[in-house]
Amino acid sequence: ERVAHTHDAAVVHEGEEGDRMYVVVSGEFCAYKAPADGSAPRAVKMYGCGSTFGEHALRAIMQIAEDLSKGLV
């Protein structure tokens, strides 16, 4: 499913359960991390055209589904 996001819109939030992978088709996305001390979030990674994110959550979901199908869970 193709989804467009506006400038400065949050796509995902740290700690959310992930259920999809994103591919940057145009523009750039910046990942921010909020420090434990409560100070302002800081940029930790830039994603440009062709970059992906969210794939780790997708892999985990696929592994759980595979384990369930084998009766391992």
Side-chain angles (χ1 to χ4, degrees), residues 20-66:
R20 57 187 74 192
M21 182 178 96
Y22 297 88
V23 178
V24 180
V25 176
S26 66
E28 294 180 327
F29 284 84
C30 187
Y32 291 87
K33 177 126 179 104
D37 65 7
S39 59
R42 61 183 180 88
V44 293
K45 185 166 185 174
M46 289 294 297
Y47 296 92
C49 189
S51 297
T52 60
F53 57 97
E55 65 275 12
H56 298 290
L58 217 50
R59 276 192 221 119
I61 291 168
M62 295 302 292
Q63 184 63 55
I64 291 168
E66 184 179 335

Side-chain angles (χ1 to χ4, degrees), residues 1 3 6 15-16 29 34 57:
E1 168 185 357
V3 178
T6 59
E16 275 183 336
F29 284 84

